[in-house]
Amino acid sequence: GENVEQHPSTLSVQEGDSAVIKCTYSDSASNYFPWYKQELGKRPQLIIDIRSNVGEKKDQRIAVTLNKTAKHFSLHITETQPEDSAVYFCAASQWQKVTFGTGTKLQVIP
Amino acid sequence: EAQVTQNPRYLITVTGKKLTVTCSQNMNHEYMSWYRQDPGLGLRQIYYSMNVEVTDKGDVPEGYKVSRKEKRNFPLILESPSPNQTSLYFCASSLRGKETQYFGPGTRLLVL
């Protein structure tokens, strides 16, 4: 089955700096790669996603890159703000079979 | 309001006592899934359903059952709960052709 590894598990950055979270996956059949943000006590919410036929996608301060050959994808957050503090999960999926990474706790220090 | 609802939100039970966690969505989504979330392990898919009467195992299906008799509902059944099923459970739904999943608020289960 699919295996998704996510690094780092914790990340502290100064407000205004950039944050990068990396994930690798094992199953070349996976074709959809979402990123979720989960605030304390809340449900996961999609922040950005990318499909296997696209190499990069950007939405304001958030971007995701995908390297299909190397089977890794990354989340980039620029100009971080305190409200970006949360746990971030990557996932790899094929149809409705979804495998999540173990999460990255991001702390943005004001 | 478009939403995914789960009930109950919190549940304390004892080993072996059958329980059902309900999940309902009002968005006419074809796809529904159940996940459990444990510290350090992220979310793990238990079961998913691609339509009425169509269900399939995720990564951690042992000890769980599901049914999909109606499009809007996807209950999770624990026939004989054990302490290792203590977890935070999320239901999610998505529209066919759109992989974006919408999560319910979660159900925190404690099995003593």
Side-chain angles (χ1 to χ4, degrees):
Chain A
E2 175 65 277
N3 181 50
V4 176
E5 295 191 359
Q6 183 172 346
H7 298 280
S9 56
T10 60
L11 180 59
S12 290
V13 299
Q14 291 291 137
E15 182 177 358
D17 287 350
S18 295
V20 180
I21 302 170
K22 298 182 179 182
C23 289
T24 61
Y25 63 100
S26 61
D27 190 347
S28 56
S30 291
N31 55 13
Y32 175 67
F33 306 91
W35 285 88
Y36 290 88
K37 176 183 180 182
Q38 187 178 30
E39 297 175 344
L40 192 62
K42 301 282 183 66
R43 71 193 79 186
Q45 292 204 304
L46 180 76
I47 55 171
I48 197 166
D49 55 11
I50 193 166
R51 300 181 194 284
S52 57
N53 58 349
V54 175
E56 185 173 356
K57 183 177 179 180
K58 190 173 182 180
D59 183 4
Q60 299 182 344
R61 295 186 298 109
I62 295 172
V64 58
T65 58
L66 171 66
N67 183 326
K68 278 177 56 179
T69 303
K71 296 197 190 73
H72 66 72
F73 56 114
S74 300
L75 177 71
H76 304 253
I77 305 174
T78 58
E79 300 171 21
T80 53
Q81 301 166 3
E83 51 265 39
D84 293 330
S85 296
V87 178
Y88 292 80
F89 292 98
C90 63
S93 75
Q94 183 188 10
W95 292 103
Q96 290 299 300
K97 184 77 167 61
V98 184
T99 302
F100 281 81
T102 50
T104 296
K105 184 174 183 179
L106 174 63
Q107 181 184 22
V108 179
I109 304 165
Chain B
E1 180 190 353
Q3 59 182 345
V4 179
T5 57
Q6 295 179 226
N7 282 291
R9 295 289 313 280
Y10 304 91
L11 179 60
I12 301 174
T13 189
V14 296
T15 299
K17 186 176 181 182
K18 181 179 178 179
L19 67 92
T20 299
V21 183
T22 65
C23 172
S24 183
Q25 49 90 8
N26 62 0
M27 297 173 279
N28 203 35
H29 286 173
E30 288 82 8
Y31 301 150
M32 298 185 76
S33 286
W34 274 105
Y35 298 89
R36 61 177 290 173
Q37 184 174 20
D38 302 288
L41 297 178
L43 291 99
R44 293 179 291 168
Q45 193 174 41
I46 303 170
Y47 270 95
Y48 61 97
S49 169
M50 297 181 77
N51 214 327
V52 174
E53 302 292 2
V54 180
T55 62
D56 211 343
K57 295 177 181 178
D59 290 325
V60 288
E62 296 79 18
Y64 304 94
K65 286 176 58 177
V66 292
S67 69
R68 188 92 183 273
K69 293 184 169 56
E70 304 167 281
K71 194 173 186 180
R72 63 182 292 128
N73 296 324
F74 189 42
L76 179 69
I77 302 155
L78 285 72
E79 297 252 341
S80 183
S82 62
N84 64 12
Q85 293 178 298
T86 291
S87 188
L88 177 59
Y89 291 87
F90 286 102
C91 178
S93 72
S94 59
L95 195 61
R96 180 165 54 200
K98 304 277 184 186
E99 292 99 330
T100 303
Q101 292 193 88
Y102 296 87
F103 283 82
T107 295
R108 192 167 290 278
L109 172 65
L110 173 61
V111 183
L112 300 172

